[in-house]
Amino acid sequence: MARKMNVNFMVVTAVSIILSVFLTTVVSYQFFQKEVFADLSSFVEIMEDLQLMERMEHEGFVNPQEELRITWIAEDGSVLYDSYSGEDVLDNHKQRPEVVQAMQKGQGTSIRKSQTMGQNIFFYAKRAQDGTILRIAKQAGSIWNVYRNTLPITVLIAILSFLISVWIARQLTRAFVLPIEQMAANMGQMENVSTYKELMPFIELIRSRHEEALRNGKIRQEFTANVSHELKTPLTAISGYAELIANGMASKKEGRHFAEEIHRNAQRLLALINDILQLSELDDSSDYKSSFESVDVYATAARCVEMLQPVAGKHGVMLSLKGTPLVIQANRGLLEELVYNLCDNAIRYNRQGGHVWVTVTDKLIVQDDGIGISPKYQKRVFERFFRVDKSRSRKTGGTGLGLAIVKHIAEVHGAAVSLDSDIGIGTTVHVEFSDIQ
């Protein structure tokens, strides 16, 4: 990572330096052109002030300044005088760009390679009062001449700038990468990692993701161990009873009892497998959100209450429903599973002659007057395979996953689940939905 960042920094630096040098040269040359034309214009004005035009007309010669070429052009474009070559050897200048501009606008400029002087020349022409054109030319070199002359010092500055930029880039890269390397080496003690404040949100995100990964890993490990244990218990019972029957070691009466136990443990095993599969599917909530529709919580609760009446009667518990319609966006099957599990749990952990009240208002409430839950266990009842009373859970056929499934279904729907309970008084579970219509 550090090497890639350094290479990227060097490439960006090199490109920036090259562009800067090129653009600086171009801009400098533009200013240079303006200065040259300004000087030529000033020289023409001086010539007019000193009446050099009259001297050229009478004396036929004016000694120009060094590197300056003076050309006097008639209105028809013929050369009256040229300080470089004389007037007889030059062709007509009427079509020269600077002369055309001067005739039309009073003054004109151009830059081109002179056939006479064999160099890039700056030309400035101005129309006199008598209609003739006075043109001044100066050899000033092209942009490439300027660039070539400044090349040594430009290259030196570019190399020094590049080396300084590379050193700065290495320091910045090291400052950026070092905290990440420290985090990688000390994932468990990232609070000791020193860094600058701009990187703190990233470190906090990495820390939270790391802690979440550790928690998930621990949960998966515990879940695997619990699944193995929970599956082993009914399978051992089924295998044992089946072996006794197969070896003829059970009487007819015992054989019937053993068959009933095999059936009971098989049912428990199937319920456990179904709950495990349900939890696995709920881990990817995106699969369900596409199937959300308008669902009436009260109508769903009514169906669940009707289905559980035989179970409630078997346990000697009175199950009732009251409330008003409550329409939300939900997966119909999952919502029914949530209500069913809450009611089933309230029935199983109740007492003979107890009650379960299901109420639907602006939320779902499932209340019972059963055995209750101790405060120290109330935060753990939604964990997978957690049971307050393991012997009672197995006796009633519970898998220890009912409330865990309730929690996951609530998360899929963006609902909040809360629980209030007192030992010997009962338990109340509140489910508040966010997407109410």
Side-chain angles (χ1 to χ4, degrees):
M1 178 180 177
R3 181 178 179 182
K4 186 175 181 180
M5 291 180 65
N6 282 325
V7 171
N8 290 337
F9 271 127
M10 287 190 289
V11 170
V12 171
T13 300
V15 172
S16 299
I17 290 174
I18 293 172
L19 289 176
S20 298
V21 170
F22 177 75
L23 292 175
T24 301
T25 303
V26 171
V27 172
S28 299
Y29 189 67
Q30 296 294 327
F31 281 112
F32 175 70
Q33 289 180 351
K34 292 181 179 179
E35 290 295 326
V36 171
F37 286 129
D39 291 342
L40 295 179
S41 176
S42 299
F43 186 74
V44 169
E45 292 178 0
I46 292 173
M47 289 183 64
E48 291 178 337
D49 292 341
L50 296 177
Q51 298 181 339
L52 293 182
M53 298 281 289
E54 296 179 1
R55 288 179 56 191
M56 290 172 62
E57 184 176 4
H58 294 94
E59 300 177 12
F61 176 78
V62 173
N63 187 22
Q65 292 186 3
E66 186 178 0
E67 298 182 352
L68 287 180
R69 174 184 176 183
I70 301 175
T71 306
W72 189 16
I73 305 168
E75 290 184 83
D76 61 358
S78 60
V79 177
L80 300 175
Y81 172 77
D82 185 86
S83 65
Y84 183 79
S85 60
E87 66 275 10
D88 296 331
V89 298
L90 296 177
D91 57 2
N92 191 284
H93 280 34
K94 189 173 184 178
Q95 300 303 319
R96 301 292 172 90
E98 67 278 3
V99 176
V100 172
Q101 292 179 28
M103 289 181 176
Q104 295 176 350
K105 302 178 180 180
Q107 60 181 3
T109 61
S110 68
I111 303 173
R112 65 179 183 274
K113 188 172 183 178
S114 172
Q115 296 178 355
T116 305
M117 302 180 67
Q119 298 289 337
N120 284 331
I121 307 299
F122 287 72
F123 293 95
Y124 175 81
K126 184 175 181 180
R127 186 180 62 203
Q129 293 181 355
D130 59 0
T132 60
I133 304 297
L134 182 61
R135 188 185 71 175
I136 306 295
K138 180 179 181 179
Q139 178 184 348
S142 66
I143 185 171
W144 305 113
N145 296 126
V146 175
Y147 187 76
R148 184 168 56 251
N149 293 333
T150 60
L151 184 61
I153 189 170
T154 301
V155 172
L156 179 61
I157 293 174
I159 292 174
L160 290 175
S161 300
F162 181 76
L163 293 176
I164 293 172
S165 299
V166 169
W167 181 81
I168 294 174
R170 289 176 63 87
Q171 299 302 314
L172 291 174
T173 301
R174 181 178 301 175
F176 182 80
V177 173
L178 183 60
I180 299 177
E181 294 176 344
Q182 291 177 345
M183 283 191 294
N186 303 278
M187 290 297 288
Q189 298 177 336
M190 284 193 290
E191 64 275 2
N192 298 326
V193 176
S194 58
T195 183
Y196 42 91
K197 62 180 182 180
E198 289 81 3
L199 197 58
M200 285 305 298
F202 175 71
I203 291 180
E204 290 297 329
L205 178 61
I206 294 295
R207 177 186 296 147
S208 62
R209 293 291 175 84
H210 175 65
E211 292 175 352
E212 182 180 354
L214 291 177
R215 286 195 301 269
N216 290 339
K218 185 178 180 180
I219 290 172
R220 289 191 185 95
Q221 186 178 11
E222 292 177 351
F223 181 70
T224 302
N226 288 330
V227 167
S228 300
H229 176 72
E230 294 293 334
L231 292 175
K232 184 178 179 181
T233 302
L235 284 173
T236 301
I238 291 171
S239 177
Y241 288 126
E243 184 179 2
L244 290 175
I245 295 173
N247 292 333
M249 298 177 63
S251 63
K252 185 176 181 179
K253 183 178 179 180
E254 289 175 332
R256 184 179 181 84
H257 171 70
F258 291 163
E260 291 175 352
E261 288 297 320
I262 290 173
H263 180 264
R264 185 178 66 83
N265 281 280
Q267 290 297 111
R268 181 184 169 197
L269 188 61
L270 287 173
L272 184 61
I273 292 173
N274 287 333
D275 284 349
I276 293 171
L277 292 175
Q278 179 79 54
L279 279 173
S280 298
E281 292 175 359
L282 287 170
D283 284 336
D284 189 3
S285 59
S286 60
D287 292 343
Y288 291 99
K289 290 186 177 180
S290 60
S291 62
F292 276 20
E293 58 182 317
S294 297
V295 182
D296 186 355
V297 179
Y298 183 85
T300 302
R303 287 195 301 272
C304 292
V305 168
E306 183 179 357
M307 286 188 292
L308 285 169
Q309 286 294 355
V311 178
K314 181 180 177 181
H315 288 79
V317 175
M318 294 292 295
L319 178 60
S320 62
L321 169 68
K322 63 178 180 179
T324 57
L326 174 64
V327 180
I328 65 171
Q329 283 294 311
N331 178 284
R332 189 179 300 275
L334 290 184
L335 182 62
E336 187 170 301
E337 184 82 11
L338 179 145
V339 179
Y340 187 95
N341 281 351
L342 286 177
C343 295
D344 183 63
N345 205 68
I347 294 170
R348 291 179 186 276
Y349 293 92
N350 213 308
R351 53 186 173 78
Q352 189 73 23
H355 297 80
V356 174
W357 298 276
V358 181
T359 306
V360 179
T361 55
D362 58 343
K363 59 184 176 180
L364 171 67
I365 304 172
V366 179
Q367 182 181 7
D368 66 70
D369 56 358
I371 60 176
I373 304 171
S374 173
K376 66 179 181 179
Y377 296 131
Q378 290 180 15
K379 291 184 178 180
R380 300 193 59 193
V381 293
F382 293 99
E383 295 178 8
R384 300 176 182 185
F385 293 113
F386 180 80
R387 299 182 179 91
V388 176
D389 188 343
K390 294 184 179 181
S391 61
R392 183 184 180 93
S393 178
R394 291 194 176 96
K395 184 178 179 181
T396 58
T399 63
L401 296 174
L403 290 181
I405 292 174
V406 167
K407 178 183 176 183
H408 276 67
I409 294 175
E411 290 175 350
V412 169
H413 292 82
V417 181
S418 59
L419 180 146
D420 296 317
S421 185
D422 290 302
I423 295 292
I425 297 177
T427 302
T428 303
V429 178
H430 300 260
V431 181
E432 299 185 44
F433 299 96
S434 57
D435 196 2
I436 300 175
Q437 295 185 342

